[in-house]
Amino acid sequence: MFADKLQRRGEAQWVIEPFGKMRVPVIVFADEGLIRDMDEQVYQQAANVAALPGIVQASYAMPDAHWGYGFPIGGVGAFDPDKGGIISAGGVGFDISCGVRALRTGLTLDQIKGNEKELADVLARCIPAGVGSEGKFKISGLEMDDMLQGGAVWAVEQGYGNRSDLARIEENGRMPGAEPRYVSDHAKQRQEKEVGTLGSGNHYLEVQRVSAIYNNDLAKAFGVGLNDITVMIHCGSRGLGHQIATDYLAKMIKAAQEEGIELADRDLACAPIKSDVGRQYYGAMCAGINCALANREVLTHLTRQAFAERFPRANLTLIYDVSHNTCKVEEHTIDGRKKKLYVHRKGATRAFGPGHPSLPRDLQATGQPVLIGGTMGTASFILAGTEQGMSLSFGSCCHGAGRAMSRSQATKRWKGKDIIMYLAQKGIIIKGASPRGIAEEAPGAYKDVTAVVDATDAAGLAKKVARLEPLICVKG
Amino acid sequence: MPDAHWELYSHPSDIGIRGLGPTREAAFAQAAMALTAVITELQKVEPSQTVDIECREEDDELLFINWLSALLYEMDTRGMLFSRFEIEPIEGGIRARAWGEPVDVARHEPAVEVKAATYADLKVERTSDGTWVAQCIVDV
């Protein structure tokens, strides 16, 4: 019903003009192949978002879009607080501020050749991952609140991570606006033992090699060269974020009903930005963002310790840290006028272009580094934000490969053991997860990440800079 | 009427859990077993320790989400898995006892953590043959 309403607007851009209850169009960024395989539910969900109060410009779906809860994964929607705009717990998702960071190591492929197995063992020992794993320390009470206010800045102050990391994290490592008092005790209790843990599912820590450079100038500016060894960490706000989402979805279902906001599905649960529940959720969600930033910073510290054991001369420096499940207040130009909007990115990466005031001085000319995590067997990418992307999608792009197959389909098709063997033949060491967990995350269960990144580049949302291929993957 | 049982069902990115039974409470208990089955094989979890849980919510479907969320909270904070459940109705909700044990990674080989119960495909209803069904998609 939606797919036949799609009109092509460019090489990698498609539009569904508003109909029914939609207030704005749906814009999908994808090439023909990705559109052919796109789940009809993505259009339905993006159209549901287009019908929410106060939405501005369009409801966007990124090239890796797939079926989500309420919003599609790979969905972007911006809302105007002065026009009855809403904020939605479903528009951020259960893993608040789930994201990716990439580090240079100062090592090259020939320096680690022959030592991969030892490095994999050390990393698996040092990085808490998987169900039931606990962090290296416990926090609670006022210390928990400090963490929720301080994010990565808090972690660095506690001795985890380097001060020089902070400029390379969105919001300089600390999301303003966090209000720990609006985070439930249950949420805080879930985090007591989980600071500095990787989690499970699609989360991972990878050691990678730079296998291709697409843009020499940008690669040089980001400090990566061919065959350099990098580390990528993918994880989020752990139990705390999951509980904030659970708590506020329940509150927002009731709030939406009271405000007379019609929800096409309950996972779209939202409240007006200018309402008590809306303001409380924003404060709690910002605390969730800080929790994720602190978590990735502590994991970085543990990774540095692990590398130091095996490679004393390694020097791990942060290329950038992106979050891809957030709602942030940002200034964007609408009809020639600057407006403060609440931009929801669910499974979508912020990709600010050159000259954006929030970028550090040394990234002003290049635009923001954008990190796209792939699957165990394929590749990840570094891109750079573009000026064009600012007007196309509020400076947003894809976030990963996006699932193409359900977990149960994947376990029927593959065995964990076979995947480990197949990847070993390709020179990739997998550590940690259970055989079923690995089968569920089989590379074949995902869309082709290269096609997703090419479509992102072709649409002008971000520019390809480098390709990273995994050597070691620690899974939860 | 078929016996009480649970099922996992396929979903594009995550996984669905479904409990069926002669009463609402039996369906909730079966769905809780399905929740554990997402993570590990149910029969690997020894019912050696108990945890008591109470949930209140007028709407059956919201109560079901509340029940699963309460279980996820107990699993996360106690580092436990549960395999046996007894639930009784109380005014405006349910009172439950869950039996389980601490996670043992080597023995349980947990595949994934469940992040949350979602409202997607959420249904709590009594079918025409009298069987209660309780189901939803969980985010992993």
Side-chain angles (χ1 to χ4, degrees), chain A residues 129-202:
Chain A
V131 178
S133 63
E134 292 183 3
K136 306 285 181 196
F137 56 90
K138 257 187 85 168
I139 63 164
S140 59
L142 289 175
E143 215 183 350
M144 175 73 74
D145 288 357
D146 287 347
M147 185 271 282
L148 297 177
Q149 289 276 7
V153 174
W154 171 86
V156 169
E157 283 166 358
Q158 303 299 308
Y160 304 101
N162 299 343
R163 190 151 294 279
S164 58
D165 297 337
L166 299 174
R168 293 302 186 116
I169 305 174
E170 290 180 2
E171 328 302 337
N172 292 309
R174 179 185 177 275
M175 182 72 185
E179 301 210 52
R181 65 187 159 138
Y182 295 134
V183 177
S184 70
D185 289 343
H186 270 196
K188 290 175 185 172
Q189 283 154 10
R190 284 180 72 168
Q191 199 59 21
E192 285 180 359
K193 291 183 273 187
E194 290 187 5
V195 179
T197 60
L198 195 59
S200 71
N202 61 358

Side-chain angles (χ1 to χ4, degrees), chain A residues 39 66-69 73 93-95 98 130-133 185-187 189-191 193-194 199-203 238-240 242-243 246 249-250 253-254 265-267 403-409 412 432-438 440-441 476, chain B residues 8-16 36-41 56-59 61-62 65-66 69-70 72-81 103-105 108-123 137-140:
Chain A
D39 184 354
H66 59 105
W67 196 101
Y69 306 110
I73 315 279
F94 286 103
D95 199 355
C98 178
V131 178
S133 63
D185 289 343
H186 270 196
Q189 283 154 10
R190 284 180 72 168
Q191 199 59 21
K193 291 183 273 187
E194 290 187 5
S200 71
N202 61 358
H203 293 161
R238 311 290 299 111
L240 181 125
H242 311 161
Q243 189 68 43
T246 298
L249 271 168
I253 285 174
K254 288 172 186 165
D265 109 40
R266 280 177 287 195
D267 281 309
R403 279 199 92 89
M405 189 186 288
S406 75
R407 290 176 179 276
S408 41
Q409 275 173 304
K412 267 178 212 144
S434 72
R436 200 183 100 203
I438 287 176
E440 290 184 6
E441 290 295 319
Chain B
L8 298 180
Y9 64 98
S10 198
H11 174 268
S13 58
D14 287 310
I15 197 159
T36 301
V38 171
I39 304 162
T40 186
E41 283 171 44
R56 285 174 204 276
E57 196 69 67
E58 290 301 327
D59 179 275
E61 292 184 345
L62 299 185
I65 294 294
N66 200 321
S69 303
L72 291 172
Y73 166 78
E74 297 296 343
M75 286 157 70
D76 208 0
T77 50
R78 293 171 192 269
M80 283 180 73
L81 293 167
V103 178
D104 177 339
V105 174
H108 295 132
E109 291 192 317
V112 281
E113 230 170 17
V114 176
K115 289 177 189 159
T118 81
Y119 297 85
D121 221 15
L122 169 61
K123 218 171 5 182
I137 308 292
V138 295
D139 189 16
V140 298

